[in-house]
Amino acid sequence: MRALSFLLLFLPALASAQFLYELDQSIPVTGEGNVPLKFPWSGGLNAVQISTMDLNHDAKEDLVIFERMGDLVLTFLQQDGEYVHAPEYEVLFPEGITNWLLIRDFNGDGLKDIFTGDALGVKVYVNKTQTGGQLTWQPFLFFNGTSKGPLLLTKKTSKAPLQMSYDDLPSIADADGDGDLDIFSMDFPGESRIEFHKNFSMERYGSRDSLEFERVTLGWAGVRECTCGVFAFNSSTCPSSGREDHAGGKSLFAFDADNDGDIDMLFAEAACDQLFLFENESGDSNPANAVVNSAVPYPETFSMVNYANPYREDLDFDGITDLIISPNLFFREFNETNFKQSVWFYKNTGTNSVPSYAAADKEFLQGDMLDVGDNAVPAFFDVDGDGDQDMFIGCYINHAYEAASVYFFENTGSPTEPQFEFVTDDFLSLSARGHVNIKPKFADMNGDTKQDLVFTAQTGTVTQLYYILNTGTTTADFSGSVTVTGFTVLWREENITPADVNQDGLTDLIVGRLNGALDYWRNTGTASSPAFTLQQANYLNLTSSVLRQSPSVATGDLNNDGKDELIYGDQTGKVTVIGNYREATDASESKTNIVYNSTLDDYIAQNLGGRIWPAIANLYSFPKPEIVTGNILGGLHILKNRYPTTGLPEETSEPVISVYPNPVSQTQLLTVEVDAPARFQVITALGQPVGPAVQLAPNQPFRQPVDGLQGVYLLKFDIRGKTYSRKIVIR
């Protein structure tokens, strides 16, 4: 292993401790029906893929969820017969997870491994966690005869990556009972047939760890999908009333549904709201000999969620695998999809070999979350004049899944100890207007110093800006008519934020465009009649970018210095902070590594639920307010400032040490930043130094390459006569 070469790059930096936050899940919330929510601030759920594994080495299976619409992993620990949201484990999963995630122990070492999608096929990550250690993953490399690569290979005429549509979900299971894991997938490019890829690891090597696949069957059981609910059997063609439906995602789940010794198949299709069972009538354990003559709805005949994907895991800790169904949707394809009830839990009242299911709980986990469906857009305002911040949440569709509304939660706590109680899911009866995609804000639109209700909403293909004046005195009064500003945007994904950018007393607009750019529109009207003129496109030099889409903005004084910051969120789910934005010329000094992770003991740029909408609210009456983010999953997160009372930590306090990214790949630069002078050195897990020690200046990023290193290392810091350490993982 060669020593590191160090590269010191001095860049302008913000005072780090001003914008450092931690996820706050402590504020109690009472939901509809006066029911206290167990984990209200967990961010909501829409389209989940369910797996289990032991995350914290307590010999209990915890819950790992891949949320497809948010493109992130969620983790819940099993504690005292219940699940507890544990976001600190989520960052420990590889960055390469996308499209789908199935956790299976393929090599029989007792540690569950990762199978996940890729634009060109399938990737596998091997669980290399040491006993009692932090989760560690290593890409599995497949040999094609001349070189190794990360894509899972299967032999058809020759070895090639196993490809599938981005919207398909394969089944990974021991289909032939020989101990290793096989794969069922839809043929690609498709004729709506099911392929069986047998794993020959046991036959060739006597062990499960080689992942040697060959396509044995091009059309498993002779089944062909024609259209939703119409199938052809025994290798026949589709009936004249049907058609071969190659478009749209399809998912598979192989298991012995009737305990007769052969593999049956559950089948889902994106355009269908029903799950179908292909019962294998062969009685033969060899999947190549499967016989299927019918498709029946499973487990019930009535409509379920669109693209109803099944998973079987024991989720109530009784040792019997239950059935979970959730849509495998990447975005809202169907307006009728109820994302408030999109995780259906069927308790297995039978046995593992002969299941029998009770009626579905249609909001598993969701019933204990703040979850308004999708596109949760938060706003805060003291509507009742009692000195604390009340909460409002806009949504995409709510009432009868035809119109959007605004949820209202009253803060029934105090200015220093908030708690929220559900009042209504249709504030001001806004659903009667027939809009979708309502995004509320509060701002003074007529110069009377009162906060008015401002919102964007979509009607047909047009998204427009509206407001309702606050005519109240001690309490807000929004009983007046809705004013149409005439300001429109082209796309529903675009976002409008009112803010007095030039501080002339008139409320201007900051617009986040679909292409990732920000526009500044100056209010050139009057206090009583606002009108907007484009003042600056690509505001703060935030131009179009495929890495930043539809930014949503909030402004406010985050660090109690009398100057406002601008924060934005986008489709990555990460919050970016631009300090003192009115004096900034661009976003070059922005911060994204602001969320503390206790497992890494470091600050990271955390995905807070895919596309997000941030708001700034002072919930605890600290000098520094909180950041609250809503997301595409219909839920919320609270980011609480870790240093709420002062500008920077005192000399006697714990130093602020930022190390990012973590985990870091060998092709990236590791960045280290501290808020005080420090002596810094890299140490191996065995205590051996790697390279010389380096002096760090406060608040100056220090960057170094890590190529040539792999595994877990310690970073040693000597600061103010004390020693501190941080753990990093190099992939």
Side-chain angles (χ1 to χ4, degrees):
M1 181 184 298
R2 63 186 179 87
L4 289 174
S5 61
F6 289 90
L7 176 64
L8 182 61
L9 301 176
F10 289 98
L11 299 173
L14 297 173
S16 299
Q18 296 177 353
F19 310 124
L20 296 178
Y21 299 85
E22 59 189 349
L23 286 169
D24 180 11
Q25 302 187 68
S26 65
I27 298 178
V29 178
T30 301
E32 299 181 50
N34 201 34
V35 177
L37 304 182
K38 293 179 182 177
F39 24 82
W41 311 104
S42 296
L45 298 172
N46 277 4
V48 305
Q49 299 168 3
I50 299 282
S51 298
T52 60
M53 67 179 295
D54 185 3
L55 294 170
N56 58 347
H57 312 291
D58 64 354
K60 297 178 181 178
E61 291 291 278
D62 305 304
L63 189 59
V64 178
I65 295 174
F66 179 68
E67 173 43 79
R68 190 165 186 238
M69 285 183 66
D71 198 30
L72 79 160
V73 174
L74 301 170
T75 51
F76 291 78
L77 294 180
Q78 180 189 156
Q79 293 182 357
D80 300 323
E82 292 186 340
Y83 285 117
V84 177
H85 187 212
E88 62 270 20
Y89 292 92
E90 295 164 5
V91 72
L92 303 181
F93 285 79
E95 294 180 356
I97 295 174
T98 188
N99 278 346
W100 53 270
L101 168 66
L102 298 174
I103 297 180
R104 306 282 189 267
D105 180 10
F106 80 86
N107 55 12
D109 63 356
L111 301 175
K112 291 189 177 181
D113 311 295
I114 286 174
F115 291 78
T116 186
D118 181 84
L120 300 176
V122 178
K123 287 184 177 180
V124 179
Y125 294 89
V126 186
N127 191 336
K128 292 291 187 179
T129 306
Q130 300 296 313
T131 302
Q134 181 177 286
L135 277 177
T136 304
W137 308 93
Q138 178 179 306
F140 188 99
L141 299 180
F142 295 84
F143 184 60
N144 64 6
T146 58
S147 62
K148 290 184 176 181
L151 293 179
L152 184 146
L153 302 177
T154 189
K155 183 178 179 181
K156 298 179 182 179
T157 55
S158 61
K159 280 190 173 182
L162 197 167
Q163 289 186 278
M164 60 188 69
S165 167
Y166 81 98
D167 223 11
D168 287 351
L169 183 65
S171 177
I172 300 175
D174 180 9
D176 52 12
D178 64 355
D180 53 27
L181 295 180
D182 310 297
I183 298 178
F184 292 91
S185 65
M186 299 301 297
D187 58 343
F188 178 88
E191 293 187 12
S192 296
R193 296 175 296 185
I194 300 171
E195 296 185 344
F196 171 53
H197 299 264
K198 176 177 170 57
N199 187 351
F200 284 89
S201 181
M202 287 298 295
E203 286 83 354
R204 292 171 183 168
Y205 310 110
S207 66
R208 299 168 50 178
D209 59 1
S210 295
L211 295 179
E212 288 268 346
F213 292 100
E214 292 187 14
R215 186 180 68 186
V216 174
T217 304
L218 175 60
W220 175 82
V223 175
R224 187 190 302 265
E225 186 205 21
C226 302
T227 189
C228 176
V230 179
F231 306 93
F233 302 103
N234 301 312
S235 300
S236 61
T237 58
C238 288
S240 58
S241 59
R243 60 179 177 80
E244 291 191 14
D245 189 1
H246 306 319
K250 307 174 196 330
S251 74
L252 306 169
F253 190 91
F255 76 118
D256 186 356
D258 49 10
N259 196 32
D260 63 353
D262 57 28
I263 285 293
D264 308 297
M265 187 74 65
L266 293 178
F267 179 91
E269 204 270 346
C272 276
D273 58 4
Q274 185 65 65
L275 184 65
F276 294 94
L277 171 67
F278 298 146
E279 183 180 350
N280 184 355
E281 301 174 8
S282 70
D284 192 329
S285 62
N286 185 352
N289 299 324
V291 175
V292 171
N293 292 303
S294 64
V296 296
Y298 186 94
E300 301 175 271
T301 57
F302 60 80
S303 298
M304 295 185 287
V305 294
N306 293 96
Y307 202 1
N309 276 226
Y311 309 90
R312 294 182 76 231
E313 298 284 356
D314 176 18
L315 296 187
D316 56 4
F317 323 121
D318 62 358
I320 302 174
T321 54
D322 307 297
L323 177 68
I324 307 93
I325 293 175
S326 185
N328 193 39
L329 299 176
F330 184 67
F331 62 96
R332 176 179 278 282
E333 295 185 50
F334 313 99
N335 277 352
E336 66 270 17
T337 302
N338 181 356
F339 283 123
K340 288 181 63 179
Q341 297 180 335
S342 59
V343 186
W344 290 30
F345 168 69
Y346 290 86
K347 178 177 174 58
N348 186 352
T349 59
T351 65
N352 286 328
S353 55
V354 184
S356 177
Y357 299 112
D361 170 4
K362 297 182 180 181
E363 48 182 22
F364 176 70
L365 297 181
Q366 290 176 295
D368 283 305
M369 297 180 179
L370 270 173
D371 191 334
V372 300
D374 56 336
N375 288 24
V377 181
F380 292 84
F381 173 57
D382 183 8
V383 71
D384 50 11
D386 63 354
D388 52 34
Q389 297 290 296
D390 304 301
M391 180 169 64
F392 301 81
I393 310 172
C395 61
Y396 187 80
I397 292 177
N398 181 29
H399 283 265
Y401 306 99
E402 295 178 355
S405 62
V406 173
Y407 286 69
F408 169 41
F409 290 79
E410 182 185 356
N411 189 341
T412 57
S414 69
T416 58
E417 295 184 0
Q419 63 180 37
F420 293 101
E421 291 188 9
F422 172 83
V423 177
T424 179
D425 62 358
D426 196 8
F427 184 65
L428 302 180
S429 300
L430 288 177
S431 69
R433 296 182 58 84
H435 300 302
V436 297
N437 205 25
I438 293 181
K439 302 174 183 177
K441 305 276 186 178
F442 289 93
D444 180 10
M445 298 300 290
N446 63 345
D448 64 356
T449 72
K450 298 175 184 178
Q451 295 290 289
D452 307 307
L453 174 60
V454 187
F455 63 95
T456 58
Q458 179 184 344
T459 303
T461 59
V462 177
T463 295
Q464 197 157 10
L465 180 68
Y466 306 85
Y467 65 86
I468 304 174
L469 292 178
N470 178 4
T471 59
T473 52
T474 57
T475 62
D477 183 350
F478 297 113
S479 60
S481 60
V482 176
T483 299
V484 182
T485 66
F487 189 89
T488 62
V489 293
L490 295 178
W491 307 103
R492 68 183 184 186
E493 293 86 357
E494 296 185 325
N495 300 288
I496 300 173
T497 299
D500 185 1
V501 177
N502 59 358
Q503 295 185 300
D504 64 352
L506 300 178
T507 297
D508 310 301
L509 302 178
I510 302 174
V511 181
R513 295 297 186 184
L514 177 64
N515 65 3
L518 279 189
D519 289 349
Y520 160 34
W521 291 73
R522 185 167 62 90
N523 189 341
T524 54
T526 63
S528 59
S529 181
F532 304 100
T533 303
L534 179 62
Q535 181 72 18
Q536 184 178 346
N538 302 324
Y539 184 55
L540 295 175
N541 203 31
L542 291 172
T543 61
S544 62
S545 171
V546 295
L547 302 178
R548 179 186 57 251
Q549 299 172 16
S550 303
S552 177
V553 168
T555 62
D557 185 2
L558 292 177
N559 56 2
N560 194 33
D561 66 351
K563 301 177 181 179
D564 283 349
E565 277 65 54
L566 180 147
I567 62 176
Y568 70 83
D570 53 30
Q571 86 287 354
T572 67
K574 300 170 184 177
V575 176
T576 298
V577 179
I578 302 173
N580 190 9
Y581 81 95
R582 290 189 178 93
E583 297 180 17
T585 57
D586 55 37
S588 61
E589 296 185 7
S590 61
K591 293 284 187 179
T592 56
N593 292 279
I594 63 172
V595 183
Y596 180 70
N597 182 278
S598 60
T599 301
L600 298 177
D601 193 21
D602 202 358
Y603 293 88
I604 63 172
Q606 182 150 344
N607 183 346
L608 297 171
R611 190 177 304 282
I612 61 171
W613 292 268
I616 297 173
N618 197 323
L619 300 178
Y620 291 99
S621 295
F622 292 146
K624 299 178 183 179
E626 284 65 54
I627 297 173
V628 182
T629 60
N631 60 37
I632 196 173
L633 308 180
L636 304 182
H637 290 95
I638 297 177
L639 300 180
K640 186 177 182 181
N641 197 302
R642 299 196 78 204
Y643 301 96
T645 57
T646 59
L648 289 172
E650 298 295 332
E651 289 291 307
T652 57
S653 67
E654 290 290 300
V656 177
I657 302 172
S658 296
V659 179
Y660 56 91
N662 190 6
V664 60
S665 71
Q666 293 179 336
T667 60
Q668 294 176 296
L669 290 176
L670 180 70
T671 300
V672 178
E673 188 174 351
V674 295
D675 70 331
R679 185 175 181 270
F680 162 68
Q681 192 167 28
V682 180
I683 307 293
T684 70
L686 298 177
Q688 300 171 331
V690 180
V694 176
Q695 290 297 130
L696 301 181
N699 302 319
Q700 298 290 337
F702 175 86
R703 297 181 179 177
Q704 65 182 54
V706 294
D707 54 312
L709 300 182
Q710 183 174 334
V712 179
Y713 291 82
L714 293 178
L715 306 184
K716 179 183 176 183
F717 298 86
D718 294 317
I719 304 174
R720 303 173 189 145
K722 295 183 180 181
T723 300
Y724 304 88
S725 64
R726 296 291 186 270
K727 185 187 296 183
I728 63 165
V729 177
I730 303 176
R731 294 197 295 258

